[in-house]
Amino acid sequence: MREALVKAAGSDLMARARAGDGGAFGELTEPYRRELHVHCYRMLGSFQDAEDTLQETLLAAWQALAGFSEERASLRTWLYKIATNRCLNARRAAGRRAAKEWNVPNLEAPEPTRLGEVVWLQPYPDFLLEATADAPPGPEVRYERAEAVSLAFVTALQVLPPRQVAVLILRDVLGFQANEVAGMLEVTVESVTSALKRARAGLRHRLPPAEGRQPPVAAGSPAEEAIVARFTRAWESADVAALVALLTDDVFISMPPMPFEYEGRDVAGRFCAALFGAGRRFDLVPTRANGQPAFGAYLRGPDGIRRGTGLYALTLAGDRISAMTRFEASVLPWFGLPRSLPAK
């Protein structure tokens, strides 16, 4: 009885939306907005680009609603088809964000280990991810939810060919079946199978090897809280030795949109020492990004005002830090963090 009522309500909304009722269309698509946003983020690696592409997707769906048929696909599958193809168009566009020069005032950067390829990467707030927890996983999911939005995973996706990325996300992250993906991309099942095989191989080559690396401690566990507390104490007191003691031997530091990348404890220590040079001191405000501990960093000014300088996300391996990713201060509002903190 309840299922019949829900189906009838959905049919009524669809009829009203097709008649031009924007409110009804909003009700129809609202349950899928957040998961579609995360899908666009995985494909594009950019929170801003995902927001823009989601809006394009909903506009395209609104304009094409008269041609939608539930006999061919569910509304959710149809929306994913539109979103995926909009993301493919964005990935193929020539105007991806360019790298920025070093822009930290009064700080000379140490010589980087190398220059990174993926400079458009942006973080994703965890509180928005929580809104997708009820999204139904498909029958063929291969990645756990947290792994599939981690910074390492999203970064690795960005260097694969666009169609391979689409197929891998739709099949291995969302669990759509091969024939469904073929319909979304308007290709053959054989083409999907071939692209998936190449994408899996490419991803294995790009992701850090799992062999010999401890899995991170559980999110929100006492063990994670202890690491966060130790990191905060060391950072706020500019204790480089204590910070280095928290790092794995092969720790990796990146800072999009600047291309500078640092690898190894020694160079990480030099980077932190340079950051704290000339008496620079910071306060940290905890948050979470991409399923990982993160912090808004605020520089203490001579007037007592603490101004936001960036956001740091930590990747954990066991009870140590295997990667730090620094993002610009412009991302702080996405996490509900202020641009500055008042004087203490």
Side-chain angles (χ1 to χ4, degrees), residues 269-339:
R270 292 197 296 274
F271 172 80
C272 292
L275 194 63
F276 300 132
R280 292 164 59 94
R281 296 294 179 267
F282 299 85
D283 289 312
L284 300 181
V285 177
T287 184
R288 297 192 67 86
N290 298 76
Q292 303 167 205
F295 305 85
Y298 293 83
L299 178 65
R300 302 170 194 169
D303 57 358
I305 303 296
R306 295 162 291 164
R307 294 170 175 80
T309 61
L311 183 135
Y312 288 85
L314 308 182
T315 300
L316 304 183
D319 61 354
R320 296 171 76 186
I321 298 166
S322 61
M324 287 195 300
T325 309
R326 176 199 180 270
F327 299 98
E328 292 187 318
S330 59
V331 311
L332 293 175
W334 303 345
F335 294 81
L337 297 176
R339 298 279 188 173

Side-chain angles (χ1 to χ4, degrees), residues 4 76 151 155 160 227 243 254 266 270 297:
R76 178 175 182 262
L151 288 171
T155 302
L160 296 180
I227 300 169
L243 276 173
S254 58
D266 289 343
R270 292 197 296 274

Side-chain angles (χ1 to χ4, degrees), residues 43-108:
M43 286 203 63
L44 302 175
S46 162
F47 186 92
Q48 290 177 322
D49 289 350
E51 187 67 30
D52 293 343
T53 306
L54 175 61
Q55 297 310 314
E56 292 178 11
T57 295
L58 294 175
L59 177 60
W62 170 246
Q63 293 172 337
L65 193 60
F68 167 65
S69 171
E70 288 183 301
E71 295 178 358
R72 293 198 297 267
S74 69
L75 178 62
R76 178 175 182 262
T77 299
W78 184 64
L79 290 170
Y80 267 102
K81 176 180 180 177
I82 297 172
T84 300
N85 283 284
R86 289 298 183 280
C87 287
L88 286 172
N89 291 340
R91 290 266 317 225
R92 292 168 180 144
R96 299 310 298 269
R97 271 183 285 277
K100 287 189 177 182
E101 298 293 331
W102 180 261
N103 62 0
V104 181
N106 305 315
L107 176 61
E108 184 177 348

Side-chain angles (χ1 to χ4, degrees), residues 176-240:
F176 285 106
Q177 296 183 5
N179 63 317
E180 293 177 297
V181 176
M184 291 181 194
L185 300 178
E186 299 181 352
V187 297
T188 65
V189 171
E190 290 75 16
S191 177
V192 167
T193 301
S194 176
L196 181 61
K197 181 178 179 180
R198 294 195 302 273
R200 287 172 176 170
L203 200 63
R204 284 194 299 270
H205 175 71
R206 291 286 179 172
L207 284 175
E211 297 81 4
R213 182 178 293 281
Q214 292 181 284
V217 295
S221 66
E224 186 188 73
E225 291 174 359
I227 300 169
V228 167
R230 290 171 62 195
F231 179 84
T232 301
R233 285 195 301 270
W235 196 274
E236 292 186 338
S237 60
D239 188 339
V240 175

Side-chain angles (χ1 to χ4, degrees), residues 23-34:
F25 177 78
E27 287 188 58
L28 277 174
T29 56
E30 181 60 32
Y32 311 110
R33 286 180 63 96
R34 187 51 58 197

